[in-house]
Amino acid sequence: TPENVENFVGVIVLDLSQPPTVMRTLLMWINRIRARATECVERASATDGQLGQRLVTKMMSWLSGNPDLARIRPSLVPVIVVANKYDQFKTRDNPDEHQILGRALRYACHYFGAALCTTDVTDSLTMAAYRKLMSRYVFDVSSRDSTHADPRKPMFIPIGCDSVADIGAVPAPDEEELNWFRRYLDQKEDKTEDDDLNGWCQIFVVVFPKS
């Protein structure tokens, strides 16, 4: 609401046991949070004209110094993306699936200025990492925790701590994949203005088609 938006932290939980749903779920909810936060600030502007600037200043405190700052499109409120059920996803044998899912999630979260962590409720270390992210953004607790970005392992990436250079380029498709891409583009309604994000979404559909 306009009254509590300044203290709000969005948490998007993704189900890694259902990989084909992951990117669509992420994009749907992050866009809803962005739109709602903007609406709340606009409604509050009549009584608090500085609210929007305070939220921007707080977000910039996390993003400042990032080499990709000019292309990041953050929400007005912090967002934590929790890729849950990592214990079920890590048993998949295809290493390409780990790379594509991890790098696609990293790029989407980086582009939208969100934090990312993978969790397994049976693993105390991943749950502790999640609690650290919550403390950082809910209670404004500073931390010097290392970033963990290897998609073959649980990931922990606070807001502003990733980069396009580290994520790497979208894999080039072969001819068979191009046919998938054409079908994907015909069906996709929520294209973004960022070509690389669209590219990651496209390759994601190739690797994790709907059953």
Side-chain angles (χ1 to χ4, degrees), residues 6 41 45 48-61 76:
E6 194 164 8
V41 170
S45 62
D48 186 354
Q50 297 302 310
L51 174 60
Q53 185 57 52
R54 291 198 303 273
L55 292 175
V56 170
T57 299
K58 180 182 289 187
M59 180 59 67
M60 286 302 299
S61 72
L76 288 172

Side-chain angles (χ1 to χ4, degrees), residues 41-151:
V41 170
E42 290 174 350
R43 288 172 56 189
S45 62
T47 56
D48 186 354
Q50 297 302 310
L51 174 60
Q53 185 57 52
R54 291 198 303 273
L55 292 175
V56 170
T57 299
K58 180 182 289 187
M59 180 59 67
M60 286 302 299
S61 72
W62 298 316
L63 293 174
S64 61
N66 189 280
D68 307 314
L69 183 59
R71 68 189 297 179
I72 295 174
R73 298 293 181 267
S75 169
L76 288 172
V77 295
V79 176
I80 300 173
V81 176
V82 181
N84 194 30
K85 299 186 181 179
Y86 175 72
D87 52 315
Q88 297 186 38
F89 182 77
K90 70 181 180 182
T91 61
R92 300 174 79 98
D93 295 329
N94 188 341
D96 289 342
E97 292 183 345
H98 291 260
Q99 287 288 336
I100 294 301
L101 183 137
R103 292 169 64 198
L105 284 181
R106 285 177 62 190
Y107 188 90
C109 291
H110 182 54
Y111 177 77
F112 288 114
L116 170 65
C117 68
T118 46
T119 58
D120 166 5
V121 295
T122 66
D123 185 329
S124 60
L125 292 178
T126 65
M127 297 309 296
Y130 165 69
R131 287 191 292 271
K132 286 180 181 179
L133 282 180
M134 288 296 292
S135 295
R136 178 180 298 214
Y137 302 118
V138 174
F139 303 111
D140 201 20
V141 175
S142 60
S143 174
R144 296 181 179 272
D145 298 301
S146 299
T147 295
H148 301 285
D150 186 343

